[in-house]
Amino acid sequence: MTPRPVLSPAGWAIFLAAGLVLLVGVPALNLALQPGDALHLPNYLVPLLGKYVCFALLALSLDLVWGYAGILSLGHGAFFALGGYAIGMHMMREIGARGVYGNPVLPDFMVFLNWTELPWYWWGSSSFLFALVMVVAVPGLLALAFGWLAFRSRITGVYLSIITQAMTFALMLAFFRNDMGFGGNNGLTDFKDILGFDLQAPSTRLGLYCLSVVALGLAFLLCRFIVSSRLGRLLLAIRDQENRVRFIGWSPTSAKLLVWVVSAMLAGVAGALYVPQVGIINPGEFAPANSIEVAIWVAFGGRGTLAGAILGAFAVNVVKTYFTAAMPELWLFILGGLFVVVTLLLPKGLLGLLSHVGGLRGMIPGAQRAAPIPASEAEATRG
């Protein structure tokens, strides 16, 4: 079987144009224009856009497993938070003697709680490279252990969704405990710099934003590569007819486990990019409601399209930013209404609507939702 291209020529053009706007246009509006200009992008909006980009990466990671493998995770916030804690631990160690208590080794919250030495799981956190490894290793190992047990036991559907939610809820309760050594209810905060760059400096914030955009672009290409490969067609067959795939000799467990671990690592990277830009990570990021909200982003944008997940994350969070500031009492009703509207009127999401109205079907990368694939076709991918 001839492998499908990662993107069509039109898709590459749109991908590069979007990257140009985000990587060149946004910094230009911030740096090249004066504060009095109508199109000037204020410094305070740069980390906000960076946060949206991180959420888009998180939504992309969920769409990879939900849209293409049929794994509806309601606990992806756990992987996101673990990535955030991994980089947060490093930034706490970078504070050193500049903390409130002036302890060069122990973070302030440990001094306050009368800890006398650094716990073993903080060893190595002073190294930035070690922190980077932990950003993907910790979510990846948790996903590997969880997925191996769940998929091997053939737990699917709503039962798997409930278990993922229980996982993130259990982690939230654990991280709330002061004796866990992660700052308890307050979490990790008061970060000052990363690799010597002041986190409050506009240049650092702009750099983190650009880094987030690059990470989102690379993650999108990685996901497109996966779903365009023979593995991607196998995942579609598993999503639609898992029993038939197993009957013809394939192992759904291995394929699902691989893409599940990749998805968790991408969520961890999103968390690691998110924390320096917002300045805090606490157990609230494990809240099951956060993971459910991510599923709404994906559904609203267009499940099984990848690009739709990114679009949904941006669209819903822009609306959230406005309503939580202007009319906070209405936000939850609006969020629920979005989900109802998408379920009843927009089964292909916002991207499906745009591609249909604008006649862009086939041009937007991933705009056409992955069609069901007969399980028998998966057998052809063997050769």
Side-chain angles (χ1 to χ4, degrees):
M1 174 177 291
T2 304
R4 293 182 296 175
V6 174
L7 291 174
S8 65
W12 274 113
I14 294 176
F15 174 80
L16 294 176
L20 192 65
V21 170
L22 293 175
L23 276 179
V24 178
V26 170
L29 293 177
N30 177 246
L31 298 175
L33 299 180
Q34 297 300 317
D37 291 334
L39 296 179
H40 173 70
L41 184 70
N43 289 332
Y44 73 89
L45 285 181
V46 173
L48 182 63
L49 291 177
K51 188 174 75 169
Y52 292 162
V53 175
C54 295
F55 287 159
L57 180 52
L58 175 60
L60 182 70
S61 71
L62 178 63
D63 194 28
L64 179 64
V65 292
W66 186 24
Y68 291 87
I71 304 170
L72 174 54
S73 169
L74 296 181
H76 251 49
F79 305 128
F80 179 83
L82 288 174
Y85 266 98
I87 201 68
M89 291 166 68
H90 170 71
M91 290 191 292
M92 290 298 289
R93 296 296 305 280
E94 277 203 9
I95 296 174
R98 293 174 293 169
V100 175
Y101 298 102
N103 192 306
V105 177
L106 297 180
D108 281 341
F109 75 88
M110 288 188 183
V111 178
F112 179 76
L113 295 173
N114 297 321
W115 289 62
T116 57
E117 60 182 12
L118 208 61
W120 63 268
Y121 42 84
W122 278 73
W123 295 351
S125 57
S126 59
S127 166
F128 181 71
L129 290 178
F130 181 83
L132 288 184
V133 172
M134 290 298 104
V135 163
V136 294
V138 174
L141 289 174
L142 175 62
L144 180 64
F146 179 91
W148 186 78
L149 292 171
F151 302 146
R152 183 170 172 269
S153 303
R154 302 187 183 184
I155 300 175
T156 59
V158 66
Y159 302 104
L160 181 67
S161 301
I162 292 172
I163 293 177
T164 56
Q165 204 164 43
M167 174 190 70
T168 193
F169 187 67
L171 285 170
M172 182 184 71
L173 295 180
F175 274 71
F176 264 122
R177 295 169 58 93
N178 285 329
D179 55 5
M180 280 285 288
F182 293 107
N185 181 56
N186 295 322
L188 309 179
T189 187
D190 196 28
F191 308 127
K192 300 188 182 309
D193 47 39
I194 184 167
L195 290 176
F197 294 99
D198 183 2
L199 288 173
Q200 301 304 317
S203 58
T204 305
R205 294 184 169 188
L206 191 59
L208 288 169
Y209 161 79
C210 292
L211 190 61
S212 302
V213 173
V214 172
L216 176 62
L218 293 176
F220 177 76
L221 292 179
L222 173 63
C223 293
R224 285 292 304 170
F225 173 75
I226 291 174
V227 302
S228 303
S229 67
R230 296 198 308 176
L231 173 62
R233 294 187 66 77
L234 177 60
L235 290 172
L236 292 178
I238 293 171
R239 182 193 68 184
D240 297 327
Q241 292 289 343
E242 182 170 343
N243 288 333
R244 291 186 62 186
V245 172
R246 183 176 287 107
F247 179 76
I248 62 177
W250 285 97
S251 170
T253 301
S254 302
K256 291 168 68 176
L257 190 57
L258 174 60
V259 75
W260 172 254
V261 171
V262 171
S263 173
M265 288 180 172
L266 292 178
V269 172
L273 290 167
Y274 169 82
V275 170
Q277 298 184 76
V278 300
I280 186 172
I281 177 71
N282 60 39
E285 297 296 339
F286 289 101
N290 289 354
S291 297
I292 295 173
E293 196 169 318
V294 179
I296 295 177
W297 302 344
V298 176
F300 180 73
R303 180 168 73 95
T305 60
L306 296 181
I310 296 174
L311 181 63
F314 273 103
V316 175
N317 280 288
V318 168
V319 175
K320 179 179 181 179
T321 299
Y322 172 77
F323 277 98
T324 52
M327 293 172 277
E329 68 279 4
L330 295 180
W331 166 239
L332 291 180
F333 294 101
I334 293 171
L335 184 64
L338 281 177
F339 192 72
V340 172
V341 168
V342 168
T343 303
L344 297 179
L345 303 177
L346 298 172
K348 295 182 180 179
L350 183 60
L351 189 65
L353 176 65
L354 292 177
S355 61
H356 179 74
V357 173
L360 300 177
R361 185 182 296 274
M363 293 181 62
I364 300 176
Q368 192 168 8
R369 185 176 183 268
I373 176 175
S376 57
E377 287 189 16
E379 190 173 11
T381 63
R382 283 179 178 274

